[in-house]
């Protein structure tokens, strides 16, 4: 049986995201991409967003980032309803991290973080006073990459780039941080460094809400306490991870048998039979 998260209560002061009966249809062909989506994210909550390719994860994240409007239903982000707010102002209050972010490869890490203050690809040097520059250094230190301050972004490793982009997104002091497959193409040590960084971030910023799109449960930090499963554009299940990230639910979500294991706050999942020897 399909279950939805509790219906949103936009009037609540701690509500960061409230979606009610949201639908998105493709203009060409009038195909439904999302249907009947209800979802509430509150301050300090950390959500994982999972589903097979084509399930609607990217579209849902674009709604949360105020990058598009729904075809039907209502989307409220940080108390602002899409369609009734200047999305340029709203986007400035949302942190968005994606490996597809355009970044000058020759810009050093400190400069990349500074651009988060102006929301630009290229630095706007006249807008960065001493306080802003110091804040960029502090964020690099918070992500434990202060030694990269003068290193060109293009020669940094994938894991280092991911943490630089998170520091950049935090320059605007967002209440909502969207992480679009931040672990893409990372090796095991880099993945673990990023998991630890996100865990520390959850502890140091208790009011920050995050939504992480991922394909792998192993990439979730112990701070992730909620999960939303999408299947064919609809919410299959949403709520506390202990109730959502189960073998039966993931089996239904991905359409093949999935076994889920949890150990000391970390998750793992595999499909198919394993044999020794």
């Amino acid at each position: 049986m399909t279950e939805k998260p509790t219906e949103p209560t936009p009037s609540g002061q701690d509500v960061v995201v409230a979606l009610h009966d949201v639908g998105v249809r493709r203009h060409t062909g009038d195909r439904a991409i999302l249907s009947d989506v209800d979802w509430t994210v509150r301050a300090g909550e950390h959500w994982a967003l999972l589903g097979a390719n084509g399930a609607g994860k990217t579209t849902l994240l674009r709604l949360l980032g105020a990058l598009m409007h729904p075809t039907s239903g209502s989307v409220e982000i940080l108390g602002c309803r899409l369609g009734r707010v200047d999305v340029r102002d709203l986007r400035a209050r949302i942190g968005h991290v994606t490996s597809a972010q355009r970044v000058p490869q020759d810009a050093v890490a400190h400069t990349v973080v500074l651009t988060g203050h102006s929301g630009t690809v290229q630095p706007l040097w006249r807008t960065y006073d001493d306080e802003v520059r110091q804040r960029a250094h502090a964020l690099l230190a918070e992500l434990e990459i202060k030694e990269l301050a003068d290193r060109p972004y293009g020669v940094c490793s994938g894991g280092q780039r991911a943490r630089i982009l998170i520091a950049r997104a935090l320059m605007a002091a967002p209440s909502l941080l969207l992480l679009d497959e931040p672990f893409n193409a990372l090796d095991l040590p880099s993945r673990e460094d990023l998991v630890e960084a996100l865990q520390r971030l959850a502890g140091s910023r208790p009011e920050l809400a995050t939504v992480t799109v991922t394909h792998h449960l192993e990439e979730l930090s112990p701070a992730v306490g909620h999960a939303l499963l999408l299947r064919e554009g609809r919410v299959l299940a949403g709520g506390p991870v202990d109730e959502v990230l189960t073998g039966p639910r993931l089996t239904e979500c991905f359409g093949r048998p999935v076994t889920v294991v949890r150990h000391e706050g970390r998750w793992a999942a595999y499909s198919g039979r394993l044999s020794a020897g």
Side-chain angles (χ1 to χ4, degrees), residues 182-235:
F183 299 88
N184 187 32
L186 298 188
D187 60 18
L188 179 59
S190 296
R191 184 192 76 186
E192 293 304 294
D193 286 344
L194 185 53
V195 167
E196 292 175 4
L198 292 173
Q199 177 75 0
R200 290 193 304 271
L201 194 65
S204 63
R205 297 171 182 263
E207 294 301 312
L208 178 66
T210 67
V211 176
T212 302
V213 174
T214 181
H215 289 286
H216 307 289
L217 299 192
E218 293 81 358
E219 296 173 349
L220 300 179
S221 87
V224 174
H226 296 77
L228 191 79
L229 302 183
L230 287 181
R231 179 177 172 85
E232 296 178 351
R234 296 179 179 271
V235 173

Side-chain angles (χ1 to χ4, degrees), residues 8-27:
T9 54
S11 59
Q13 292 184 351
D14 66 340
V15 172
V16 175
V17 171
L19 278 66
H20 180 61
D21 200 24
V22 167
V24 174
R25 304 190 72 86
R26 191 183 300 278
H27 294 301

Side-chain angles (χ1 to χ4, degrees), residues 94-110:
I94 303 169
H96 202 156
V97 176
T98 171
S99 58
Q101 173 70 45
R102 290 186 299 156
V103 177
Q105 299 297 295
D106 58 347
V108 298
H110 184 254

Side-chain angles (χ1 to χ4, degrees), residues 4-10 15 18-21 38-40 42:
K4 293 183 178 182
T6 303
E7 288 194 2
T9 54
V15 172
L19 278 66
H20 180 61
D21 200 24
D38 290 333
W39 187 21
T40 301
R42 299 182 181 277

Side-chain angles (χ1 to χ4, degrees), residues 50-221:
L50 299 104
N53 290 336
K57 302 186 300 298
T58 298
T59 299
L60 186 51
L61 207 67
R62 285 178 58 81
L63 288 172
L64 268 56
L67 297 174
M68 65 180 298
H69 290 73
T71 306
S72 58
S74 65
V75 176
E76 294 202 13
I77 305 165
L78 303 176
C80 301
R81 182 166 177 172
L82 294 187
R84 300 179 181 176
V85 64
D86 187 332
V87 293
R88 295 170 297 182
D89 294 336
L90 181 57
R91 289 169 190 162
R93 301 166 56 198
I94 303 169
H96 202 156
V97 176
T98 171
S99 58
Q101 173 70 45
R102 290 186 299 156
V103 177
Q105 299 297 295
D106 58 347
V108 298
H110 184 254
T111 298
V112 174
V113 176
L114 280 175
T115 63
H117 176 75
S118 50
T120 57
V121 175
Q122 296 292 339
L124 301 180
W125 294 110
R126 293 183 179 180
T127 67
Y128 310 142
D129 58 20
D130 289 342
E131 186 276 331
V132 170
R133 292 168 186 264
Q134 286 301 317
R135 185 148 47 91
H137 280 298
L139 285 169
L140 287 171
E142 183 177 353
L143 273 296
E144 296 192 349
I145 48 173
K146 63 181 180 180
E147 72 281 0
L148 302 180
D150 297 320
R151 184 178 301 180
Y153 181 83
V155 301
C156 292
S157 69
Q160 291 169 339
R161 292 184 185 190
R163 284 186 280 170
I164 291 169
L165 292 179
I166 291 173
R168 179 186 185 276
L170 293 174
M171 276 296 288
S175 298
L176 173 64
L177 181 63
L178 307 177
L179 302 161
D180 188 4
E181 297 189 38
F183 299 88
N184 187 32
L186 298 188
D187 60 18
L188 179 59
S190 296
R191 184 192 76 186
E192 293 304 294
D193 286 344
L194 185 53
V195 167
E196 292 175 4
L198 292 173
Q199 177 75 0
R200 290 193 304 271
L201 194 65
S204 63
R205 297 171 182 263
E207 294 301 312
L208 178 66
T210 67
V211 176
T212 302
V213 174
T214 181
H215 289 286
H216 307 289
L217 299 192
E218 293 81 358
E219 296 173 349
L220 300 179
S221 87

